[in-house]
Amino acid sequence: MMLQKTLIIRKFVHISLGMTILIISFVLERNVLLYLIIAGTIFSFLTFNHKKFHLLHKTENKSLGTLYYPVGILSSYLILYHLPVYYFQSSLLLLSLSDTLANFAGHIQKSNGWFRTFHDRKSIYGIIAYILSAILILYLFLPDFLSLDIPYILFALLWAVILETASIRGSDNLSIPAGLALFFFLTYHYELNYLYLFIILIALAPAGLLLFKFNILTRRGSFVAYLLGFYLAGIAGWPWLISVLLFFISSAAFTKLKHAIQGVQYTSRARNAWQVIANIIWAVTSSVVFLLTHDEIFILFFIAFVAAVTADTWASEIGPLLNKRCFSLSTMRTATAGTNGGISFFGSVAALSGATIVSSMAYYIFFGSWQWDIIATLSASAFLSCFVDSLLGAFAEDKLLRLNYFKKRRTSESITPNDLINMAGSFSAFVFYLLLSWVF
């Protein structure tokens, strides 16, 4: 009973705030509304742990939704600040009204079904309520040239559903308004093929599901990979996607090969979202900067980053198969192959091979030719980054593991020191590329 009371109060506040901001957006100047939203965000954070506001904030699943809610509205308003106000109003209502209706519909037990795509549980009835209300909101608030554009609306709805399901502890209160704001911002400034984007989103869904079902990636890892695939294929372009697939497919193949050869001695473990992010974050960053600047140097940085994580993964998977011992950088002695901070002959050969193959193939995919001096620099940069990864693994990883932050996070979906090591190691490929280009 207390839970239902808390839920009703919290959702009533969400709807009331959304409607209040909606009305104010028609009458107040934009900067005044911005100050009010900032004040509301600060108020939410100040009262979160205050007993007098317990009914407003607390839930049985320790949701942070009441913190994400004002941050989501603020981020949406900032992103859309210079765009027509109906964009902000649409994203606001999908958060305050559609998401609330989805939550209430999710509490219907009879003939309902539930699922998870990221973390929080969602319901079939909830998604239906969310879609129907979203259709009405977009039709009423967007101008006719958008609301009557069927491919545009189809993609907007599908994207909104993905943002709704991509939730952990109520983070959809942030992902819905911020994600929709980014969509509106991009579609306002750029010409996009909405039907193509819609098809890409649909087509990639089975691939994400298979990655999870075959234990290649965890649930969250598969979802992140799904979004990554959409960005690369739908926004960045096929050359960027193919280059990443060279890394992902080859690495997954060597991981499965290692599992098959070592058998019971080796337990296959799906990679989580943090591992996916750690491997690809710098490459994605480079691609985004290229799309904004059109400077080809960022294509080279992208290739260097992808080659670096390929080299590191090949070394990690192939080295222990062909070498029983390695040289430990931390003890300066031989150790069992696979030891953190270890270097082996065949692991180094695998790293150099992976770096060279991916660098040369990716360069050709982008530029249609081979310029071997640049490819050599890219390959060397990626190869050298593996040694940075080994050095950090030898001297930093154990120290990080002793930190309370990592001791408390030991689930299959938690970030680990190794993820930080991988991010730092792959970033060094960028540094090495700059140094080698300057020297040679």
Side-chain angles (χ1 to χ4, degrees):
M1 187 67 181
M2 178 59 70
L3 173 61
Q4 293 300 323
K5 180 182 177 181
T6 302
L7 174 66
I8 292 172
I9 291 175
R10 194 172 68 253
K11 292 304 178 182
F12 174 77
V13 171
H14 282 194
I15 293 178
S16 299
L17 283 174
M19 294 301 104
T20 301
I21 295 173
L22 175 67
I23 294 171
I24 292 175
S25 68
F26 285 107
V27 297
L28 289 183
E29 294 183 3
R30 296 200 177 199
N31 61 328
V32 177
L33 180 55
L34 175 60
Y35 298 147
L36 290 176
I37 294 174
I38 292 174
T41 303
I42 294 173
F43 174 81
S44 183
F45 276 83
L46 291 177
T47 60
F48 185 73
N49 289 317
H50 202 289
K51 291 183 179 180
K52 290 184 178 180
F53 298 91
H54 180 84
L55 289 177
L56 178 62
H57 290 292
K58 300 305 178 183
T59 63
E60 67 170 4
N61 59 357
K62 297 181 179 180
S63 172
L64 299 176
T66 54
L67 295 182
Y68 287 123
Y69 187 87
V71 174
I73 294 175
L74 178 60
S75 61
S76 174
Y77 194 71
L78 289 173
I79 294 170
L80 301 172
Y81 190 80
H82 296 291
L83 271 62
V85 70
Y86 52 73
Y87 287 117
F88 169 69
Q89 292 167 343
S90 298
S91 64
L92 173 67
L93 287 179
L94 260 73
L95 169 64
S96 59
L97 187 58
S98 296
D99 184 56
T100 300
L101 291 174
N103 193 291
F104 282 126
H107 284 78
I108 300 174
Q109 298 296 321
K110 186 175 181 180
S111 302
N112 205 350
W114 290 267
F115 63 94
R116 298 178 193 271
T117 58
F118 197 73
H119 179 271
D120 293 350
R121 193 176 73 157
K122 301 296 178 178
S123 71
I124 300 299
Y125 286 172
I127 294 299
I128 292 174
Y130 183 83
I131 292 174
L132 293 177
S133 60
I135 292 173
L136 182 61
I137 290 168
L138 295 177
Y139 178 76
L140 292 176
F141 282 85
L142 293 180
D144 288 346
F145 74 90
L146 292 177
S147 62
L148 299 180
D149 186 339
I150 301 302
Y152 179 90
I153 294 299
L154 282 175
F155 178 77
L157 289 172
L158 183 55
W159 181 241
V161 169
I162 291 171
L163 296 172
E164 159 71 10
T165 59
S167 179
I168 175 171
R169 296 181 65 185
S171 64
D172 54 336
N173 284 350
L174 171 61
S175 63
I176 290 172
L180 284 171
L182 288 173
F183 165 71
F184 290 140
F185 181 86
L186 289 173
T187 56
Y188 183 82
H189 289 287
Y190 302 97
E191 289 290 335
L192 300 175
N193 186 334
Y194 306 115
L195 182 59
Y196 170 74
L197 294 177
F198 177 80
I199 292 172
I200 289 293
L201 276 179
I202 295 294
L204 289 176
L209 181 62
L210 290 174
L211 290 173
F212 173 64
K213 290 297 184 181
F214 284 100
N215 202 39
I216 297 174
L217 298 175
T218 63
R219 185 188 305 276
R220 296 184 204 174
S222 299
F223 192 82
V224 171
Y226 170 68
L227 294 180
L228 173 65
F230 167 70
Y231 163 73
L232 293 172
I235 306 298
W238 289 100
W240 306 85
L241 175 64
I242 294 172
S243 299
V244 172
L245 286 177
L246 290 175
F247 153 69
F248 183 79
I249 294 175
S250 64
S251 299
F254 283 127
T255 299
K256 290 299 181 182
L257 177 64
K258 180 179 179 181
H259 182 206
I261 292 176
Q262 293 187 341
V264 296
Q265 300 176 24
Y266 175 74
T267 302
S268 179
R269 181 181 175 185
R271 298 178 184 272
N272 65 24
W274 286 110
Q275 289 172 299
V276 175
I277 293 170
N279 279 321
I280 209 65
I281 183 170
W282 304 125
V284 169
T285 302
S286 296
S287 70
V288 170
V289 177
F290 170 79
L291 293 178
L292 295 174
T293 64
H294 300 287
D295 190 335
E296 289 186 353
I297 188 65
F298 292 102
I299 296 179
L300 299 180
F301 293 159
F302 173 86
I303 295 173
F305 289 133
V306 175
V309 295
T310 303
D312 179 61
T313 305
W314 285 27
S316 300
E317 301 298 340
I318 297 176
L321 284 178
L322 302 179
N323 288 104
K324 293 183 178 180
R325 307 287 292 178
C326 68
F327 181 76
S328 173
L329 295 175
S330 59
T331 63
M332 303 303 288
R333 297 178 180 177
T334 60
T336 304
T339 301
N340 285 339
I343 298 175
S344 67
F345 173 76
F346 285 110
S348 299
V349 171
L352 182 59
S353 300
T356 303
I357 291 171
V358 169
S359 294
S360 57
M361 293 184 69
Y363 190 91
Y364 186 84
I365 290 170
F366 277 104
F367 300 104
S369 63
W370 282 293
Q371 192 166 339
W372 293 110
D373 56 335
I374 296 179
I375 292 172
T377 304
L378 291 169
S379 302
S381 303
F383 178 64
L384 290 172
S385 72
C386 291
F387 293 95
V388 174
D389 188 281
S390 296
L391 282 169
L392 292 173
F395 297 104
E397 188 165 352
D398 286 341
K399 294 180 181 179
L400 290 173
L401 280 170
R402 290 193 289 269
L403 296 177
N404 288 331
Y405 178 86
F406 291 108
K407 286 181 180 179
K408 296 176 181 179
R409 289 164 174 79
R410 293 295 180 89
T411 70
S412 62
E413 297 285 5
S414 298
I415 188 172
T416 67
N418 185 254
D419 298 327
L420 300 181
I421 298 298
N422 286 340
M423 281 190 273
S426 60
F427 183 79
S428 68
F430 159 75
V431 178
F432 283 124
Y433 180 80
L434 292 178
L435 290 174
L436 292 174
S437 298
W438 178 66
V439 171
F440 298 103

